[in-house]
Amino acid sequence: RKEVEQDPGPFNVPEGATVAFNCTYSNSASQSFFWYRQDCRKEPKLLMSVYSSGNEDGRFTAQLNRASQYISLLIRDSKLSDSATYLCVVSETGGGNKLTFGTGTQLKVEL
Amino acid sequence: GAVVSQHPSRVICKSGTSVKIECRSLDFQATTMFWYRQFPKQSLMLMATSNEGSKATYEQGVEKDKFLINHASLTLSTLTVTSAHPEDSSFYICSAFRNTEAFFGQGTRLTVV
């Protein structure tokens, strides 16, 4: 079983749509959670950290359920520029330790 | 601007040769840097943790004699792929933490022919 699992997609959605991505992790010792965005052939870039109480950054909302070991990302009002691969990332301890990446979920936003 | 700089961005080499990839932290010191490898349609997989002034820590299944890591200063780590083979062709990315956020180099696409 993979440590971090994601639906690879692709998710093809029209501009303006709301789309949700899910992620599960197997290591119950995981302490820090993130969503990264990776454009084709580029390095990953931090989209947002995920906190236990859930958090929102503009059109993006992240949720964490520690009991179910489940993380989600909701994107509202999708833009063409949101097209990318979204990586679910967990770490056993806070900053400075190694990150474990999911395979990513590909999103394609279309006109 | 970039926080972590990786060079080269792309390299093509012949089988049996060695390739060196550099990773620099630009405006901060990094006692630890991480080297990842990503094959097409797969996740980033940690290869090794580079420690300034000491030996690197390799993940299970990664040959330390094939992937040589040197972290000679607080701003530079290098990964050398020795005796490269076509199956080593991949996207190699380094990262370092500045405060609590991980920043990644631009990646190096290695093609071994």
Side-chain angles (χ1 to χ4, degrees):
Chain A
R1 183 186 171 188
K2 293 178 183 173
E3 288 189 60
V4 180
E5 294 209 51
Q6 295 180 252
D7 181 342
F11 283 58
N12 298 315
V13 303
E15 206 174 11
T18 296
V19 61
F21 303 140
N22 302 320
C23 168
T24 56
Y25 60 95
S26 60
N27 187 349
S28 58
S30 299
Q31 292 294 325
S32 300
F33 310 90
F34 311 91
W35 283 102
Y36 276 76
R37 169 190 171 133
Q38 186 176 26
D39 292 286
C40 188
R41 295 175 176 263
K42 299 281 189 180
E43 76 276 20
K45 293 185 178 177
L46 180 65
L47 179 66
M48 59 195 304
S49 300
V50 187
Y51 303 116
S52 296
S53 55
N55 48 299
E56 186 175 306
D57 183 1
R59 299 182 292 111
F60 301 86
T61 301
Q63 298 273 353
L64 168 65
N65 184 322
R66 286 184 184 270
S68 303
Q69 295 181 195
Y70 169 93
I71 308 162
S72 67
L73 176 68
L74 183 77
I75 304 176
R76 292 182 298 277
D77 189 23
S78 300
K79 311 289 185 192
L80 293 174
S81 57
D82 292 334
S83 297
T85 296
Y86 290 83
L87 305 171
C88 178
V89 183
V90 303
S91 173
E92 282 190 22
T93 62
N97 275 19
K98 65 179 185 179
L99 304 175
T100 302
F101 288 79
T103 51
T105 299
Q106 188 179 9
L107 171 66
K108 294 181 181 179
V109 181
E110 302 163 332
L111 287 171
Chain B
V3 175
V4 174
S5 176
Q6 187 173 339
H7 178 80
S9 59
R10 185 184 296 267
V11 58
I12 301 173
C13 71
K14 292 184 178 180
S15 286
T17 61
S18 295
V19 174
K20 179 185 282 189
I21 303 170
E22 292 188 349
C23 181
R24 294 179 185 275
S25 56
L26 295 183
D27 59 357
F28 66 102
Q29 294 179 336
T31 56
T32 302
M33 292 185 178
F34 302 89
W35 286 96
Y36 294 85
R37 179 168 54 183
Q38 186 178 33
F39 291 106
K41 298 191 183 299
Q42 295 188 25
S43 62
L44 275 75
M45 295 298 295
L46 181 66
M47 299 176 65
T49 303
S50 173
N51 304 299
E52 188 271 335
S54 63
K55 292 182 179 180
T57 306
Y58 289 82
E59 296 299 301
Q60 191 173 12
V62 178
E63 299 176 57
K64 61 180 174 67
D65 294 330
K66 180 171 180 62
F67 298 99
L68 300 179
I69 290 173
N70 184 280
H71 196 149
S73 78
L74 288 169
T75 59
L76 174 64
S77 174
T78 61
L79 168 68
T80 301
V81 183
T82 64
S83 186
H85 289 103
E87 56 265 32
D88 297 324
S89 299
S90 187
F91 191 50
Y92 293 84
I93 311 179
C94 67
S95 81
F97 277 80
R98 186 177 69 176
N99 299 322
T100 58
E101 183 175 344
F103 290 88
F104 290 82
Q106 299 90 332
T108 297
R109 190 161 300 280
L110 171 63
T111 303
V112 184
V113 297

